[in-house]
Short mmCIF file of all heavy atoms in Angstrom, two decimals:
data_model
loop_
_atom_site.label_atom_id
_atom_site.label_comp_id
_atom_site.label_asym_id
_atom_site.label_seq_id
_atom_site.Cartn_x
_atom_site.Cartn_y
_atom_site.Cartn_z
N LYS B 56 140.09 55.91 53.14
CA LYS B 56 140.68 57.08 53.80
C LYS B 56 141.47 57.96 52.81
O LYS B 56 141.39 59.23 53.10
CB LYS B 56 141.64 56.52 54.91
CG LYS B 56 142.38 57.68 55.74
CD LYS B 56 143.17 57.10 56.88
CE LYS B 56 143.91 58.22 57.64
NZ LYS B 56 144.62 57.69 58.75
N PRO B 57 142.22 57.40 51.90
CA PRO B 57 142.92 58.32 51.07
C PRO B 57 142.12 59.42 50.30
O PRO B 57 142.58 60.42 49.86
CB PRO B 57 143.68 57.46 50.04
CG PRO B 57 143.75 56.16 50.80
CD PRO B 57 142.50 56.10 51.74
N SER B 78 124.68 57.11 58.02
CA SER B 78 123.81 56.30 58.64
C SER B 78 123.28 55.03 57.79
O SER B 78 123.70 55.03 56.61
CB SER B 78 122.36 57.13 59.00
OG SER B 78 121.69 57.47 57.91
N ASN B 82 124.98 50.45 52.15
CA ASN B 82 124.85 51.64 51.23
C ASN B 82 126.18 51.77 50.46
O ASN B 82 127.21 51.43 50.89
CB ASN B 82 124.63 52.98 52.07
CG ASN B 82 123.28 52.81 52.70
OD1 ASN B 82 122.36 52.56 52.18
ND2 ASN B 82 123.17 53.12 54.03
N LEU B 139 90.29 45.60 49.18
CA LEU B 139 90.56 46.71 50.09
C LEU B 139 91.84 47.44 49.85
O LEU B 139 92.91 46.72 49.56
CB LEU B 139 90.49 46.29 51.53
CG LEU B 139 89.28 45.55 52.04
CD1 LEU B 139 89.52 45.08 53.53
CD2 LEU B 139 88.07 46.53 51.98
N GLY B 146 110.53 47.99 48.85
CA GLY B 146 111.14 46.69 48.98
C GLY B 146 110.27 45.67 49.67
O GLY B 146 110.71 44.54 49.97
N LEU B 172 100.51 40.82 39.25
CA LEU B 172 100.29 39.43 38.81
C LEU B 172 99.41 38.63 39.75
O LEU B 172 99.60 38.51 40.91
CB LEU B 172 101.65 38.71 38.79
CG LEU B 172 101.77 37.19 38.36
CD1 LEU B 172 101.15 37.07 36.95
CD2 LEU B 172 103.08 36.66 38.49
N ILE B 179 97.64 39.35 34.38
CA ILE B 179 98.33 40.51 34.76
C ILE B 179 97.52 41.82 34.57
O ILE B 179 96.63 41.91 33.77
CB ILE B 179 99.65 40.70 34.02
CG1 ILE B 179 99.45 41.07 32.48
CG2 ILE B 179 100.48 39.41 34.16
CD1 ILE B 179 100.69 41.50 31.80
N TYR B 226 105.13 61.74 54.58
CA TYR B 226 105.54 60.84 53.49
C TYR B 226 104.44 60.71 52.43
O TYR B 226 103.29 61.21 52.73
CB TYR B 226 105.80 59.39 54.11
CG TYR B 226 104.67 58.70 54.76
CD1 TYR B 226 103.77 57.91 54.02
CD2 TYR B 226 104.35 58.99 56.06
CE1 TYR B 226 102.74 57.28 54.73
CE2 TYR B 226 103.29 58.27 56.76
CZ TYR B 226 102.44 57.52 56.02
OH TYR B 226 101.34 56.84 56.61
N GLU B 228 102.03 58.34 50.63
CA GLU B 228 101.50 56.95 50.87
C GLU B 228 101.08 56.26 49.46
O GLU B 228 100.57 56.94 48.64
CB GLU B 228 100.22 56.97 51.78
CG GLU B 228 99.73 55.62 52.00
CD GLU B 228 98.41 55.67 52.84
OE1 GLU B 228 97.43 56.30 52.40
OE2 GLU B 228 98.51 55.39 54.04
N VAL B 243 105.60 48.28 42.18
CA VAL B 243 105.45 49.65 41.64
C VAL B 243 106.86 50.41 41.65
O VAL B 243 107.38 50.51 42.78
CB VAL B 243 104.44 50.52 42.54
CG1 VAL B 243 104.25 51.91 41.94
CG2 VAL B 243 103.11 49.68 42.55
N LEU B 245 108.81 54.00 41.16
CA LEU B 245 108.66 55.51 40.96
C LEU B 245 109.98 56.06 40.42
O LEU B 245 111.08 55.68 41.02
CB LEU B 245 108.38 56.11 42.26
CG LEU B 245 107.24 55.60 43.12
CD1 LEU B 245 106.89 56.52 44.37
CD2 LEU B 245 105.90 55.47 42.30
N VAL B 250 113.70 68.87 43.07
CA VAL B 250 114.54 70.07 43.25
C VAL B 250 114.00 70.64 44.54
O VAL B 250 112.84 70.61 44.84
CB VAL B 250 114.45 70.98 42.10
CG1 VAL B 250 112.98 71.56 41.97
CG2 VAL B 250 115.37 72.17 42.31
#
Side-chain angles (χ1 to χ4, degrees):
K56 181 176 180 179
S78 64
N82 296 308
L139 299 177
L172 175 63
I179 68 170
Y226 63 92
E228 181 186 67
V243 181
L245 309 186
V250 64

